[in-house]
Amino acid sequence: MRRYLLIILLISLFSFSGCDDVLDCIINVRPELHVKTLAIGYVDEYYSENITAEIKNEVHDNDYDYYFDVSGRLPEGIDVFYNRHREVVFKGIPEESGRFSIKVFLEVIPRYDEFGNNGPLCTDTASRTYVLAIK
């Protein structure tokens, strides 16, 4: 009886969502911000660091547009630059010391190909918190 319930559940899942979407979620195709410890910066010295992203388990991850947003307070003198080619860049000359908690949000949007198809994802967003230390 248990096996029949599992088969019915799987059939229902495939019929409502389509095989491709289910397989992509099993494979875990999703955006990902790389785990990284940001380099330590020093007051009155030039600082530059980047955070990169990718679509996990997707060989065509350049076929997506990457949109970033950063929340949290950056030290005075450090600016953030967004690059749709998969990175966020922090750079400048910090004017204050401290530990700054920064949350980076990522949303990816697949580009449509010539046939009107786009890449399926389990989710189209990701976020991660980083710590920027300035001495």
Side-chain angles (χ1 to χ4, degrees):
M1 180 68 173
R2 196 176 234 185
R3 186 178 354 178
Y4 293 118
L5 287 175
L6 180 61
I7 291 170
I8 291 170
L9 177 66
L10 288 174
I11 290 171
S12 299
L13 187 63
F14 281 113
S15 65
F16 288 121
S17 63
C19 293
D20 289 339
D21 294 340
V22 172
L23 289 176
D24 288 328
C25 286
I26 291 170
I27 297 171
N28 200 15
V29 178
R30 62 180 172 79
E32 179 176 76
L33 289 158
H34 294 141
V35 175
K36 180 175 193 168
T37 300
L38 299 179
I40 296 173
Y42 298 92
V43 172
D44 296 327
E45 291 184 18
Y46 182 76
Y47 181 85
S48 180
E49 182 67 279
N50 67 332
I51 295 170
T52 56
E54 69 178 336
I55 306 296
K56 184 178 177 182
N57 298 319
E58 169 65 87
V59 294
H60 301 289
D61 55 355
N62 284 328
D63 293 341
Y64 293 79
D65 289 321
Y66 292 72
Y67 295 94
F68 297 96
D69 192 25
V70 173
S71 67
R73 190 172 89 77
L74 290 171
E76 289 293 323
I78 297 290
D79 293 312
V80 62
F81 299 90
Y82 303 101
N83 181 342
R84 284 193 190 166
H85 298 290
R86 301 169 36 175
E87 70 178 356
V88 175
V89 180
F90 300 99
K91 63 183 174 178
I93 300 174
E95 300 169 3
E96 62 181 314
S97 63
R99 290 176 53 87
F100 302 87
S101 181
I102 302 162
K103 189 164 191 174
V104 177
F105 297 92
L106 167 64
E107 180 178 11
V108 294
I109 298 175
R111 295 185 201 132
Y112 291 93
D113 66 15
E114 65 271 14
F115 304 108
N117 299 320
N118 62 3
L121 297 169
C122 289
T123 180
D124 58 1
T125 61
S127 66
R128 187 174 298 279
T129 301
Y130 300 89
V131 174
L132 172 57
I134 304 294
K135 292 184 177 186

